[in-house]
């Protein structure tokens, strides 16, 4: 850590133990990337008094507006193609936006020169109020829903709670909030965890681990290891998914504080030290004194919206994190009752001629699609888009008995078609090659033609959306609009 290399200045010794009252005005920091987290990091560093340079290859209206503000505050800003090709002289610390690969030229140059590279989360942890606990979670799927459930539970107990990180406010903004918080619920992606080193949360959870972003991390092993960073130094509870042995192994491998407990969550009857489900109730056998012989009722399964199995699992993980800091059972229940899921997450759009149409456009990988498909039967499945190198064989094998039919769209639909032909040859498949603005109308019409009363038409694409749509939300909106254009499509769910 620290070295002059191309920078011209060695990183000061205090940087290894930096905190909010450290002598930041001595430090020259380069912020790599000018998105939401990059802007928040740069603004925070300016507030701390550091000398800040921001580099960003994009120079659109959003970047120009942010640059104007930060230049007034004293930052140096370089926007436009080529701006990130070289590390500025004098750099002593790089704070990178989470999506930047370690192999990018600027970060590679910093690493070669021995210059510390932090993510925004690492910066936030260094300057946080140590009296405010962090409850952190990650996972391939379900992160945002779970952290929002957790925040709802915390607020139902009367705590001043913020949702931050990969959801809500950037974490540096949350820790710098002059009003302060009693607790912060933090969602972290694998990208953010890669650039985080010293965080030691009060409690942490890994919801699940499935192939995703392997191209960024270089291997499934590296992706999994970055997820596992979340357990390092945990003080109270390491929450893991009983149904996903990888998450339990990450807990076993973690270097935690003495006294930290492993807490499993399960859709079955919980063993001692777990939360789970008994007779349609979420129950706690981990955080009660009588856990050897009994369980505390937390909420009814019907309090979870929607009550799909994977969403009940999300609720249990959130409950375990909340209970780890003493949130009472009634607040878990009230938090779940008051929680409304974000759009495009198994949201029922309409019921037309006895067929339910459900938007789960957020299911952008096979693992997420499998969880969504498990909630319905029989299903006409709408799938396809950008596969990101994913395999669909296991998914199709697992869900083929649920499928009434499949409608495929997008650039990589042939990959899914091949898996269906191999593992579900009797399932009718319609491919829609169109990519124009009316394509979703034809996709929904094809699905309606396959469906029977009592079926569910489910948009759970298992792929990214950018081949045809701006993002998963635009894809979900197009689906909902197409459903409403069906004869009778304005019927309420």
């Amino acid at each position: 850590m620290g070295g002059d290399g191309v920078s011209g200045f060695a990183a000061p010794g205090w940087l290894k133990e930096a905190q909010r009252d450290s002598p930041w005005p001595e430090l020259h920091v380069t912020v790599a990337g000018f998105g939401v987290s990059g802007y928040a990091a740069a603004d925070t560093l300016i507030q701390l008094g550091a000398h800040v340079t921001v580099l960003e290859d994009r120079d659109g209206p959003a970047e120009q507006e942010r640059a104007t503000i930060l230049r007034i505050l004293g930052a140096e800003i370089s926007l436009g193609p080529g701006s990130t090709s070289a590390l500025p002289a004098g750099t002593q610390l790089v704070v990178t936006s989470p999506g930047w690969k370690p192999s990018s030229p600027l970060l590679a140059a910093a690493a070669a020169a021995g210059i510390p590279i932090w993510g925004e989360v690492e910066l936030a942890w260094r300057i946080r109020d140590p009296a405010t606990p962090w409850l952190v979670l990650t996972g391939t799927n379900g992160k945002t829903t779970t952290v929002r459930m957790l925040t709802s539970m915390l607020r139902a107990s009367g705590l001043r709670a913020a949702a931050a990180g990969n959801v809500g406010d950037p974490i540096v903004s949350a820790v710098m909030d002059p009003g302060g918080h009693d607790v912060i619920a933090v969602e972290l992606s694998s990208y953010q965890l890669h650039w985080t080193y010293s965080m030691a949360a009060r409690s942490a959870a890994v919801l699940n681990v499935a192939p995703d972003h392997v191209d960024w991390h270089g291997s499934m092993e590296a992706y999994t290891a970055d997820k596992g960073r979340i357990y390092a130094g945990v003080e109270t509870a390491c929450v893991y998914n009983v149904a996903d042995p990888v998450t339990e192994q990450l807990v076993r491998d973690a270097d935690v504080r003495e006294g930290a407990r492993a807490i499993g969550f399960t859709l079955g009857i919980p063993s001692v030290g777990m939360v789970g489900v008994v007779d349609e109730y979420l129950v706690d056998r981990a955080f009660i004194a009588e856990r050897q012989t009994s369980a505390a009722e937390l909420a009814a399964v019907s309090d979870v919206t929607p009550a799909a199995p994977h969403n009940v699992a999300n609720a249990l993980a959130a409950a375990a994190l909340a209970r780890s800091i003493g949130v009472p059972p009634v607040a878990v229940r009230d938090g779940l009752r008051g929680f409304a899921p974000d759009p495009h997450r198994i949201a029922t759009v309409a019921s037309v001629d006895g067929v339910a149409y459900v938007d789960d456009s957020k299911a952008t990988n096979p693992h997420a699609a499998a969880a969504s498909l498990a909630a319905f039967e029989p299903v006409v499945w709408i799938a396809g888009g950008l596969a990101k190198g994913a395999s669909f064989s296991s998914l199709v094998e697992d869900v083929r008995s649920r499928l009434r039919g499949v409608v495929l769209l997008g650039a990589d639909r042939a990959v899914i078609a091949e898996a269906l032909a191999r593992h579900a040859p009797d399932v009718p498949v319609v491919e829609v090659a169109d990519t124009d603005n009316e394509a979703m109308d034809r996709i929904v019409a094809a699905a309606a033609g396959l469906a029977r009363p009592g079926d569910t038409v489910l948009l759970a694409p298992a792929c990214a959306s950018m081949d045809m749509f701006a993002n998963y939300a635009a894809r979900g909106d197009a689906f909902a609009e197409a459903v409403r254009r069906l004869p009778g499509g304005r019927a309420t769910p």
Side-chain angles (χ1 to χ4, degrees):
M1 298 280 286
D4 44 2
V6 300
S7 74
F9 302 131
W14 59 261
L15 191 59
K16 294 181 180 180
E17 306 295 333
Q19 50 193 331
R20 188 176 300 193
D21 60 0
S22 296
W24 294 95
E26 299 176 0
L27 196 67
H28 292 255
V29 186
T30 294
V31 175
F34 209 29
V36 173
S37 68
Y39 174 73
D43 181 52
T44 296
L45 286 161
I46 292 168
Q47 292 182 57
L48 294 170
H51 303 272
V52 177
T53 300
V54 179
L55 307 180
E56 173 57 71
D57 285 331
R58 296 174 299 180
D59 60 354
E63 289 76 26
Q64 292 287 354
E65 181 179 355
R66 293 167 183 160
T68 298
I69 295 170
L70 293 193
R71 284 187 179 118
I72 292 171
L73 297 175
E76 296 183 25
I77 314 290
S78 181
L79 302 177
S83 294
T84 67
S85 59
L87 192 66
T91 298
Q92 296 168 292
L93 170 68
V94 173
V95 176
T96 180
S97 295
W100 280 47
K101 290 184 177 181
S103 59
S104 62
L106 188 142
L107 300 186
I115 297 169
I117 304 170
W118 294 358
E120 177 236 345
V121 178
E122 179 68 18
L123 173 63
W125 179 256
R126 300 298 189 105
I127 62 173
R128 78 199 187 284
D129 178 355
T132 301
W134 287 19
L135 301 177
V136 300
L137 63 91
T138 191
T140 303
N141 297 300
K143 297 184 294 295
T144 297
T145 295
T146 307
V147 82
R148 291 198 184 282
M149 285 178 173
L150 171 60
T151 306
S152 185
M153 295 172 190
L154 296 169
R155 290 174 178 169
S157 72
L159 294 170
R160 293 173 299 161
N166 204 42
V167 61
D169 294 329
I171 186 63
V172 289
S173 299
V175 301
M176 293 293 285
D177 186 335
H181 302 288
D182 295 320
V183 58
I184 301 177
V186 184
E187 175 192 336
L188 295 179
S189 69
S190 58
Y191 300 161
Q192 290 170 308
L193 284 162
H194 181 85
W195 301 113
T196 302
Y197 313 105
S198 63
M199 183 185 71
R202 176 69 61 84
S203 296
V206 179
L207 303 177
N208 44 63
V209 179
D212 202 16
H213 305 305
V214 173
D215 54 344
W216 193 96
H217 292 273
S219 68
M220 186 62 193
E221 291 74 19
Y223 170 70
T224 302
D226 278 337
K227 289 290 190 189
R229 285 174 178 255
I230 204 164
Y231 290 131
V234 160
E235 178 181 338
T236 300
C238 294
V239 178
Y240 67 94
N241 185 348
V242 174
D244 188 337
V246 173
T247 67
E248 183 175 4
Q249 188 59 49
L250 290 175
V251 174
R252 294 182 183 279
D253 294 342
D255 184 9
V256 301
R257 294 192 195 181
E258 185 176 353
R261 298 170 58 202
I263 306 295
F265 65 91
T266 175
L267 292 175
I269 297 173
S271 301
V272 176
M274 297 182 183
V275 295
V277 178
V278 176
D279 294 333
E280 296 300 308
Y281 287 92
L282 280 61
V283 300
D284 171 9
R285 289 195 70 189
F287 299 103
I288 60 170
E290 307 82 7
R291 56 183 173 269
Q292 294 292 337
T293 57
S294 61
E297 180 183 312
L298 300 175
V301 170
S302 59
D303 291 325
V304 181
T305 305
H310 67 288
N311 211 40
V312 175
N314 293 339
L316 288 164
L321 290 171
R323 294 284 287 152
S324 77
I325 63 164
V327 168
V330 67
V332 172
R333 182 202 65 190
D334 291 348
L336 288 173
R337 288 179 177 177
F339 169 75
D342 288 350
H344 313 296
R345 291 166 169 83
I346 43 179
T348 300
V349 173
S351 179
V352 183
D353 296 331
V355 175
Y357 290 79
V358 177
D359 168 16
D360 198 15
S361 185
K362 186 63 172 66
T364 58
N365 56 55
H367 185 269
S372 188
L373 285 159
F376 305 100
E377 186 176 12
V379 174
V380 176
W381 179 31
I382 299 176
L386 292 175
K388 301 180 291 182
S391 168
F392 298 87
S393 293
S394 296
L395 170 60
V396 171
E397 285 185 286
D398 290 343
V399 304
R400 60 189 173 190
S401 65
R402 296 177 173 272
L403 299 178
R404 175 80 70 194
V406 181
V407 180
L408 298 176
L409 70 153
D412 293 331
R413 63 188 181 278
V415 181
I416 307 176
E418 181 183 358
L420 287 161
R422 189 181 322 120
H423 300 292
D426 296 331
V427 174
V429 177
V430 177
E431 293 192 45
V432 178
D434 306 341
T435 58
D436 57 70
N437 291 338
E438 288 74 40
M440 190 59 83
D441 287 291
R442 291 185 276 277
I443 292 161
V444 168
L450 293 170
R452 302 176 189 173
D455 289 357
T456 297
V457 171
L458 175 65
L459 174 68
C463 293
S465 58
M466 286 77 76
D467 56 331
M468 292 176 61
F469 303 93
N471 48 48
Y472 75 84
R475 178 171 61 191
D477 289 341
F479 171 75
E481 291 162 6
V483 169
R484 294 183 183 111
R485 284 192 287 267
L486 289 170
R490 293 197 177 275
T492 56

